[in-house]
Amino acid sequence: MSIFEHVAGASTGLLDRRQLLAEGFSEDEIRSARAAGTLVRLYRGVYALGLQIPGARRPLEVLRIIGVAARSPSMVVSHTSAAVLHDLPLWLADPTVVHLTREPGGGSARTPGRVVDATRVESDEIVMVNGILVTSPARTLVDLCRGSAFEPAVMACDYVLHHRLASPLDLATALDRARHRPGNAAARRAIAFADGRSESPGESRTRVLIHGLGLPAPQLQIEVSDRFGNAVGRTDLGYVEDSALIEFDGKVKYGRLLQPGEDPSDVVVREKEREDAIRAVGTSVMRIVWSELNRPLMLERRIELTRLQGRALRDAGATSGRLRARRPIRVEPAPSSPAGDANPTNTR
């Protein structure tokens, strides 16, 4: 039997060097399999098949985390590694380093490819994912935000709230428990800014950019209806009082809108028809693409022009429909309480 066949038959898809040697494979065979790409080194002495895992966004990172966690069963996968297992969006983060947390007293440790943090984790902050112990989405998010810049932290927060991986109460409680840990103030800012109405990382980044420019905060998920009350469409964000609407254009969004039997051009045509209908009720509409997020001053001018055009339509009496933003999905601070008193519900 080849190493390829042996690993393919393993229940987890993972093998370590000692196991391979014990079962009769030589060092030369292991080296040859690695050179051929049959085996991929995930961590010291831990290997996986050099194949993609169907449905996994970061397949090798997932296997690496499982392999490292299996060697430390008393520890909990946390921080960026937990975010990978919960499939949270990660931007400006390194998912190749496996992060674990253990009870205080053992001390923190850092080795190549692995970081161990010594911090208390409550029993209701632990869930099982892929058969290993992982911090809950709420605890993961707070840990992630404590060490992240504002923009990537908001992206992750919006995602968690939008996909209901944790409730606002879960996040408020996790924040309160972490109130004495380094970086908690940064986590509070990001979570307070987060809104589960943001449906994509691009929308989250757009909100952060608008905030950084000092522009008024836009409303999110604005539903547009005509003068008879018929639904016309919905836009990502905008300014209801200015009759100015903003759409974020991303490849993921167009892929999500693709229906069976359609190609991307069908989505483009349908989106154009929807936008025309929204404009017809007397609104100014602009679209933002990823590259424009790196040109904030130009984007600021476009947003201000769109608002100016919308106000002109409004003042001229050209608006004939109704704009209404959906209710926010936000986190309210929980009452301060001793760590461990609250009991948020596990969501996964």
Side-chain angles (χ1 to χ4, degrees):
M1 178 185 291
S2 69
I3 287 181
F4 180 89
E5 293 169 324
H6 189 79
V7 178
S11 60
T12 62
L14 297 171
L15 283 176
D16 62 34
R17 176 180 168 277
R18 290 171 298 182
Q19 184 179 353
L20 289 170
L21 293 174
E23 296 183 9
F25 296 100
S26 67
E27 293 278 13
D28 286 342
E29 287 178 297
I30 295 174
R31 279 194 293 269
S32 296
R34 289 186 62 188
T38 302
L39 286 182
V40 176
R41 183 181 182 274
L42 300 176
Y43 184 64
R44 186 173 60 248
V46 180
Y47 304 95
L49 282 175
L51 301 173
Q52 295 293 306
I53 304 174
R57 189 189 303 184
R58 309 177 187 93
L60 291 182
E61 282 81 0
V62 169
L63 285 175
R64 181 182 293 110
I65 293 165
I66 294 173
V68 174
R71 291 193 164 193
S72 306
S74 64
M75 299 187 193
V76 182
V77 176
S78 60
H79 297 76
T80 304
S81 300
V84 169
L85 295 183
H86 289 306
D87 206 25
L88 306 189
L90 290 175
W91 189 52
L92 304 179
D94 181 8
T96 63
V97 177
V98 178
H99 205 130
L100 305 171
T101 295
R102 63 183 171 196
E103 288 295 307
S108 301
R110 181 181 291 270
T111 56
R114 190 182 82 149
V115 174
V116 177
D117 189 42
T119 308
R120 182 171 178 77
V121 181
E122 303 296 335
S123 61
D124 59 6
E125 294 180 319
I126 301 174
V127 295
M128 294 289 291
V129 179
N130 293 327
I132 58 176
L133 301 177
V134 184
T135 52
S136 66
R139 170 64 186 261
T140 298
L141 189 65
V142 172
D143 285 342
L144 194 67
C145 291
R146 290 192 299 111
S148 298
F150 185 69
E151 190 171 14
V154 170
M155 290 167 62
C157 293
D158 284 352
Y159 184 92
V160 167
L161 287 171
H162 178 72
H163 291 276
R164 302 181 186 276
L165 299 182
S167 71
L169 177 59
D170 291 338
L171 296 181
T173 302
L175 270 176
D176 186 57
R177 286 175 169 177
R179 63 189 180 278
H180 298 308
R181 296 174 195 149
N184 184 257
R188 286 186 179 276
R189 285 194 298 272
I191 292 176
F193 186 83
D195 193 317
R197 291 176 297 176
S198 285
E199 295 183 337
S200 71
E203 292 175 40
S204 299
R205 285 195 63 194
T206 300
R207 292 200 305 116
V208 173
L209 185 145
I210 290 173
H211 174 74
L213 291 171
L215 296 174
Q219 292 100 342
L220 308 183
Q221 301 306 319
I222 299 173
E223 297 172 344
V224 183
S225 56
D226 62 21
R227 62 192 180 93
F228 300 108
N230 300 313
V232 172
R234 176 166 55 88
T235 61
D236 298 327
L237 58 161
Y239 299 92
V240 170
E241 64 280 5
D242 294 333
S243 294
L245 303 174
I246 302 172
E247 286 276 80
F248 183 85
D249 262 350
K251 292 182 180 179
V252 173
K253 177 177 181 176
Y254 279 84
R256 188 172 66 239
L257 295 174
L258 201 62
Q259 297 177 2
E262 289 187 331
D263 59 42
S265 64
D266 296 318
V267 178
V268 172
V269 171
R270 192 165 62 248
E271 280 291 282
K272 177 64 167 57
E273 291 173 346
R274 183 181 66 88
E275 184 175 318
D276 288 344
I278 290 174
R279 290 181 186 276
V281 302
T283 64
S284 177
V285 183
M286 68 172 283
R287 288 184 175 270
I288 297 175
V289 297
W290 273 106
S291 60
E292 290 181 294
L293 298 179
N294 298 319
R295 294 176 284 175
L297 295 182
M298 183 203 73
L299 195 57
E300 180 181 20
R301 289 193 293 270
R302 286 195 60 210
I303 292 173
E304 290 289 53
L305 178 60
T306 301
R307 294 179 65 200
L308 183 65
Q309 292 171 337
R311 287 194 295 268
L313 288 169
R314 180 201 63 196
D315 295 343
T319 55
S320 59
R322 180 186 178 189
L323 309 181
R324 182 178 62 183
R326 290 185 175 177
R327 293 180 60 184
I329 305 174
R330 307 291 295 273
V331 175
E332 298 295 334
S336 182
S337 60
D341 282 357
N343 184 29
T345 303
N346 284 347
T347 59
R348 184 168 177 173

